[in-house]
Amino acid sequence: MFNTNFKLPTGCFPLKFHQMPERIQKPPCRWRKEIAFILISQEQLARRVHALARQIEKDFAGRDLVIVALLNGTVVFLADLLRRLSLPLRLDFIGVSSYGGGTESAELVFTKELRLDVSGRDVLVVDDILDTGKTLSQVMIKLRKLRPRRMKICVLLDKPSRRVEPVRAHYVGFEIPNHFVVGYGLDYAERYRNLPFVGVLRPEMFQHPDFIPLLSEKKRLLLQGVKTTV
Ligand code: IMP
Ligand code: MG
């Protein structure tokens, strides 16, 4: 059974980039046993995505823009962002997965390669979350070899406290503390991508027997470094 005496967190607000709610928001009843609290609500996401789109439109006006999104975590954020962009653009995807080698420096495997030609073009790389930076640093190395005119990175979430590689995103939705978050495309053991908000998973879910066999080695390693004292 789940622990129902779970205490709501203190001291993790405010987030730096954009104002977080003054009071903690409870998730809808259906999710309360799994999600401790809503970190970013649907309304906050919508407002911020709108603002990011305005900025991107301004910066890429008149350019030949190619959006390169990383699968699978970006899908919800990307779909909302795209519909807010009134620019001529093309879209392609890169699939990245980490090889379960059992070490923190697990190797990245590209599960889907880029098909569009980006040489001489402006590229906007879109990802769900910038954590250690290992994924995006390797993706950028790979893309640079294709000789784009310029490349910028857009992420919905940034956890700067976890950074290992010196990667910087040009467009950041929300800078967040070191919590493991799910929803709005982000998963835990491939679940929760469909939540319309970004929520913090209850720490007891990390030990849940239904999920352990589904976790990739990378997620397991990532969780070892995550605050579970929320
Ligand atoms: P990085 O290579 O460490 O920057 O990891 C980036 C990837 O790790 C993201 O694209 C996510 O797939 C995953 N990730 C990092 N933090 C979280 C989180 O809090 N929730 C869900 N996935 C995460
Ligand atoms: Mg990802």
Side-chain angles (χ1 to χ4, degrees), residues 34-46:
E34 294 150 83
I35 307 298
F37 61 100
I38 295 179
L39 187 64
I40 310 170
S41 70
Q42 265 179 277
E43 296 71 27
Q44 288 171 308
L45 287 164

Side-chain angles (χ1 to χ4, degrees), residues 62-80:
R63 307 302 323 171
D64 191 1
L65 176 62
V66 181
I67 291 192
V68 175
L70 270 62
L71 293 170
N72 300 333
T74 45
V75 287
V76 183
F77 169 46
L78 179 75
D80 284 350

Side-chain angles (χ1 to χ4, degrees), residues 14-161:
L15 301 186
K16 198 171 144 203
F17 265 41
H18 288 284
Q19 298 316 310
M20 300 314 295
E22 288 100 50
R23 59 187 178 81
I24 285 158
Q25 301 174 72
K26 281 191 196 165
C29 288
R30 160 64 187 90
W31 300 108
R32 247 172 242 174
K33 285 186 177 162
E34 294 150 83
I35 307 298
F37 61 100
I38 295 179
L39 187 64
I40 310 170
S41 70
Q42 265 179 277
E43 296 71 27
Q44 288 171 308
L45 287 164
R47 270 201 302 276
R48 188 64 189 134
V49 170
H50 180 79
L52 285 175
R54 289 290 79 76
Q55 191 59 50
I56 292 167
E57 272 177 358
K58 218 168 111 209
D59 296 352
F60 288 92
R63 307 302 323 171
D64 191 1
L65 176 62
V66 181
I67 291 192
V68 175
L70 270 62
L71 293 170
N72 300 333
T74 45
V75 287
V76 183
F77 169 46
L78 179 75
D80 284 350
L81 183 69
L82 280 180
R83 282 176 289 188
R84 294 271 183 194
L85 288 174
S86 27
L87 277 179
L89 59 84
R90 286 174 304 149
L91 173 66
D92 203 352
F93 294 92
I94 290 187
V96 193
S97 165
S98 52
Y99 164 72
T103 67
E104 177 76 74
S105 54
E107 221 177 282
L108 278 192
V109 174
F110 287 88
T111 55
K112 188 208 169 287
E113 298 287 341
L114 202 65
R115 291 184 56 219
L116 291 182
D117 178 13
V118 296
S119 117
R121 310 228 147 84
D122 285 37
V123 171
L124 181 66
V125 178
V126 178
D127 201 5
D128 51 358
I129 183 165
L130 180 52
D131 186 36
T132 64
K134 289 180 183 177
T135 308
L136 275 173
S137 78
Q138 293 206 37
V139 166
M140 295 305 272
I141 290 170
K142 193 176 165 77
L143 288 175
R144 226 165 263 133
K145 291 184 186 148
L146 303 173
R147 306 208 160 275
R149 178 179 167 273
R150 66 170 172 161
M151 283 199 295
K152 301 253 183 200
I153 296 176
C154 172
V155 291
L156 175 70
L157 306 174
D158 185 6
K159 280 190 207 170
S161 62

Side-chain angles (χ1 to χ4, degrees), residues 195-212:
L195 301 186
F197 51 82
V198 173
V200 173
L201 200 64
R202 287 186 181 273
E204 56 266 37
M205 298 310 296
F206 298 154
Q207 310 303 332
H208 197 283
D210 286 357
F211 289 159
I212 299 297

